[in-house]
Amino acid sequence: MSLEHSTSPDLWKAVWRLADAWSETPLVKDFAATMPRTQGLENRGDRATGVPALLQHLDLSAGMMMAKPLMFGSRVPVLLDQPLMSQGTPAVDQGELDAWLTMANRIEAAHRMTLAWLRSRLAGYPILRAPQLAPGTPLTTFEMTIHHTWTKEELAAGLNQKPAPPNVPDLLGADAGAPLELDEAARDLMRTLEGSPAWIRFHDSLDGLDQVGKVALREARRELTERLSEEAVDDHEERLALPRAEYRGHTTAEVIDSLTGSAREYADAFNDVHELLTLVACDIFGELTLFGEPWPVPVLNLETPEPGQPIVAFEGQGAAGFFLTTGQVLWLSNESVTDAVRIETKSMKFDVEGLRDHFEARVLIGTGEGWPVSTVQLPDAAE
């Protein structure tokens, strides 16, 4: 099942509502103001200073590892400890950096709590049999990963008994009255997720899990625990993070591919619902929370998606490409794509016509009906 079959206008409306509630809190406003993308032209590129300059440097150095700003609290310190990342790092006052990291950690904690609370509504929680949650997989590793990991502490916290994500309003410094909207917006998102095809499929896969399937899932978790132990990963690659991460991902996929019957249905259904939560409650939610309404962007040479493959390719028109980055959500000024898109890749294309920014983006099915039409402009048009 593709993600696109699980999104709907109502789901995107709920994501928008929660992001809007978060964006009005004092902490999020202060944190968003430090993002390189929110800086005016006078504080971009070589003119950037302070924390925005540091984040801009890390974005250029670390690429996709900087694509999830709601994870900056834990991610930025790790990146700064990497020798290759520290070369050429802009000087930042330590007090300014410490204050910023405090903000980033509070926002990351609030998001982790919200995500864990949404996950706690899955069928069978907290007893989830998915092999993907065995120790050492990409979803549980303690090493740096692109995933929002699942932790034992969150699984044991009784979040499925809570009426809303606990402590989030306090972490965000919400003003009087805001906690009610934050909690109700979270519940609204939960209700729409529970009605999504991916959520329903996971519920049904648990109901359809027979004894043979349960044994197979248990054996798969045991095998992954052994093959992804610290010693086993060290034997594959002792030091380099990327090969270690690739080994974890390849090994997990290999074990899941060996499953059949109800065990395979359960594992695949878990993967679908995990990817849905990552898309709507992490990637898109983070974009809307920190950067607000998507920009309407003029594009050239648009290649519309094939059926079942909702990826579009396009080139930036004029100076637009300068302001666009991986992970960003946009409206394309083209009648053939009426939904918003999320940039998946950015590259440079060179031919007889010269050098141009080339993008591939995922169409967010249902946003055209679920979200209001953007009223904002590109920075170069607004300056």
Side-chain angles (χ1 to χ4, degrees):
M1 177 185 295
S2 67
L3 283 176
E4 290 66 38
H5 291 135
S6 283
T7 59
S8 66
D10 285 343
L11 180 56
W12 290 124
K13 287 178 184 177
V15 173
W16 185 285
R17 179 184 178 185
L18 183 60
D20 189 55
W22 271 53
S23 71
E24 292 301 316
T25 62
L27 190 68
V28 170
K29 287 182 179 180
D30 290 344
F31 186 68
T34 68
M35 297 294 103
R37 205 192 308 167
T38 65
Q39 306 302 304
L41 292 176
E42 72 282 355
N43 199 23
R44 284 176 178 254
D46 294 339
R47 292 166 289 187
T49 59
V51 167
L54 173 64
L55 297 179
Q56 181 177 272
H57 166 78
L58 291 177
D59 186 51
L60 293 173
S61 304
M64 284 301 295
M65 298 308 293
M66 287 290 288
K68 297 178 183 288
L70 295 182
M71 298 174 73
F72 280 0
S74 60
R75 181 151 295 177
V76 167
V78 173
L79 290 174
L80 290 176
D81 282 340
Q82 304 301 309
L84 292 178
M85 299 294 174
S86 61
Q87 295 178 6
T89 301
V92 181
D93 177 78
Q94 190 61 47
E96 178 187 356
L97 181 59
D98 289 344
W100 181 85
L101 285 172
T102 298
M103 282 198 300
N105 278 305
R106 288 174 65 91
I107 285 176
E108 182 167 355
H111 180 245
R112 282 207 62 94
M113 185 59 68
T114 300
L115 180 60
W117 181 80
L118 293 172
R119 289 169 169 174
S120 77
R121 267 46 187 180
L122 285 171
Y125 189 95
I127 307 302
L128 299 176
R129 302 174 183 270
Q132 294 94 321
L133 298 183
T137 67
L139 300 191
T140 61
T141 180
F142 292 109
E143 297 181 9
M144 184 174 285
T145 173
I146 63 171
H147 299 282
H148 296 264
T149 56
W150 300 61
T151 70
K152 291 182 178 179
E153 292 76 14
E154 290 167 354
L155 288 166
L159 293 174
N160 54 333
Q161 305 299 318
K162 305 293 185 181
N167 304 323
V168 168
D170 289 340
L171 285 167
L172 299 180
D175 298 327
L180 293 176
E181 174 57 17
L182 286 166
D183 289 351
E184 186 51 44
R187 286 190 285 268
D188 187 26
L189 177 56
M190 184 67 265
R191 285 189 290 267
T192 57
L193 282 167
E194 288 177 325
S196 68
W199 212 273
I200 293 169
R201 180 191 177 192
F202 183 72
H203 183 281
D204 291 345
S205 74
L206 177 60
D207 287 344
L209 195 58
D210 55 26
Q211 192 59 36
V212 173
K214 292 177 182 178
V215 172
L217 290 171
R218 186 162 56 248
E219 287 301 307
R221 289 176 67 103
R222 180 195 59 77
E223 180 181 353
L224 283 169
T225 300
E226 293 177 358
R227 294 177 62 181
L228 296 177
S229 67
E230 185 174 352
E231 295 79 9
V233 178
D234 284 346
D235 285 343
H236 176 78
E237 168 54 55
E238 188 172 3
R239 195 168 53 85
L240 299 177
L242 185 57
R244 289 171 69 88
E246 290 175 344
Y247 174 72
R248 294 181 194 280
H250 174 77
T251 302
T252 302
E254 185 177 71
V255 171
I256 291 174
D257 284 344
S258 71
L259 296 172
T260 59
S262 64
R264 180 60 183 271
E265 175 64 24
Y266 181 88
D268 287 347
F270 175 83
N271 188 64
D272 286 348
V273 81
H274 168 77
E275 288 189 354
L276 177 65
L277 278 167
T278 299
L279 177 68
V280 303
C282 301
D283 297 340
I284 307 306
F285 170 72
E287 280 291 308
L288 296 179
T289 296
L290 296 178
F291 305 111
E293 298 181 28
W295 293 336
V297 177
V299 297
L300 295 172
N301 300 325
L302 178 70
E303 299 175 20
T304 54
E306 300 175 3
Q309 299 292 329
I311 301 295
V312 295
F314 59 91
E315 296 169 8
Q317 181 174 332
F322 175 78
F323 295 101
L324 307 185
T325 186
T326 304
Q328 193 167 357
V329 179
L330 310 166
W331 297 108
L332 302 184
S333 299
N334 190 292
E335 294 180 355
S336 62
V337 180
T338 57
D339 289 307
V341 304
R342 178 178 184 263
I343 297 176
E344 303 275 310
T345 64
K346 177 180 180 178
S347 59
M348 300 302 293
K349 185 176 182 180
F350 183 77
D351 55 23
V352 293
E353 297 180 5
L355 189 65
R356 300 185 305 281
D357 294 296
H358 183 77
F359 302 91
E360 289 188 349
R362 175 178 297 276
V363 180
L364 305 175
I365 305 298
T367 50
E369 184 178 345
W371 290 352
V373 176
S374 181
T375 59
V376 298
Q377 293 179 307
L378 279 170
D380 58 342
E383 289 289 323

